[in-house]
Amino acid sequence: MYCLDGPHRAGLVTAGVRLKVLAPGSTAVPDAVRPVASAGQGGGGPLTLQQWAERREDDFGRACSALMAAASESPGTAAQDDGGGGWLADFLKQLPLLAAGALLTLGGQASERLSAERRQFRQQLGGDESAYRTAVHDYLAAYETDERAEHTAVRAARTALAGTLNRVPGPRARREAARAAADTLPLAQPLRGDRDGYLLDTEGRVEYAEEQRSAMEDRLRLISELNRSKLYWSWRTVRDRITRRDTAGAAV
């Protein structure tokens, strides 16, 4: 990656500090940067540049785009005036630079739009997850005293969360993990008043409810893993593909 190449690391850190996504004092040598606090995330550090790229994709993308734009506008890339050819020759000499600048502008706009969409999606996923957790806790508290407790709110919150999980974008390993989480969310149906052929008293319902709470929290912890970096999920996708290929070969 251009911005993480050795010659460009110092410029990347400088761009990050000027954009106020890195705290002053961040350095490329030694490799130690301190991200500033942002919405939904505290500050941190020191981190390596690679860790910063993985944990703060949006901030890293802004600094990297600024670095590449600055490089494209460097005077060293301009053609020297040879005293002839007129305005047309000068224009043709500058045309590649103008085109590169336009592409970088469009790329920066697309990157910002995608970053905004990712932030919005993460917020929606977090909101749906919180609504589901609240509905489950309320239902289970009521179930402990009344086996006929109303389950409608849990069903609605579970459906909303499952729908959002089914829209989680790639890589493939992340999509598969999200769909598996959606399919296994607890409490698709209301709990019964009996278990294994035995009627449950209050103590039995309390124990049953606690098991469901634990199952829900375990599943929601897996959902939080979906926010890991795209680099991590790309590696998981490659690893899973190799595993499936080796398994198929062994079966043959």
Side-chain angles (χ1 to χ4, degrees), residues 192-206:
R192 295 166 57 92
D194 61 273
R195 189 179 186 189
D196 300 328
Y198 295 94
L199 289 176
L200 295 173
D201 56 13
T202 300
E203 184 178 350
R205 288 195 301 273
V206 168

Side-chain angles (χ1 to χ4, degrees), residues 237-247:
T237 298
V238 173
R239 189 194 68 178
D240 292 349
R241 184 181 299 121
I242 293 173
T243 300
R244 284 193 293 267
R245 184 186 62 193
D246 292 345
T247 301

Side-chain angles (χ1 to χ4, degrees), residues 124-137 157 161 216 220:
Q124 181 177 352
L125 181 59
D128 289 344
E129 181 181 338
S130 178
Y132 172 69
R133 176 185 278 110
T134 299
V136 168
H137 279 299
L161 178 55
M216 176 197 65
L220 294 185

Side-chain angles (χ1 to χ4, degrees), residues 130-167:
S130 178
Y132 172 69
R133 176 185 278 110
T134 299
V136 168
H137 279 299
D138 290 347
Y139 167 72
L140 292 177
Y143 170 80
E144 289 176 353
T145 57
D146 183 0
E147 64 187 61
R148 296 166 297 179
E150 181 58 50
H151 180 262
T152 304
V154 175
R155 181 181 294 109
R158 185 184 185 279
T159 299
L161 178 55
T164 302
L165 287 170
N166 281 314
R167 293 189 292 107

Side-chain angles (χ1 to χ4, degrees), residues 35-144:
V36 300
S38 60
Q41 293 180 306
L47 305 175
T48 67
L49 287 172
Q50 183 67 45
Q51 290 171 332
W52 179 47
E54 294 175 0
R55 299 180 187 179
R56 297 288 185 92
E57 293 180 69
D58 294 344
D59 292 347
F60 173 80
R62 289 180 58 198
C64 186
S65 296
L67 174 63
M68 291 192 294
S72 72
E73 297 170 0
S74 172
T77 64
Q80 297 297 320
D81 184 5
D82 60 3
W87 68 268
L88 180 59
D90 291 340
F91 173 76
L92 292 175
K93 290 177 182 178
Q94 295 295 327
L95 187 58
L97 183 58
L98 293 173
L103 289 173
L104 284 171
T105 299
L106 291 174
Q109 293 173 346
S111 175
E112 182 62 27
R113 185 176 66 254
L114 290 173
S115 295
E117 290 174 353
R118 285 196 297 267
R119 286 194 297 270
Q120 183 178 4
F121 186 82
R122 284 197 293 266
Q123 290 171 357
Q124 181 177 352
L125 181 59
D128 289 344
E129 181 181 338
S130 178
Y132 172 69
R133 176 185 278 110
T134 299
V136 168
H137 279 299
D138 290 347
Y139 167 72
L140 292 177
Y143 170 80
E144 289 176 353

Side-chain angles (χ1 to χ4, degrees), residues 176-198:
E176 291 178 346
R179 283 151 182 72
D183 291 341
T184 55
L185 288 172
L187 293 171
Q189 300 295 330
L191 299 180
R192 295 166 57 92
D194 61 273
R195 189 179 186 189
D196 300 328
Y198 295 94

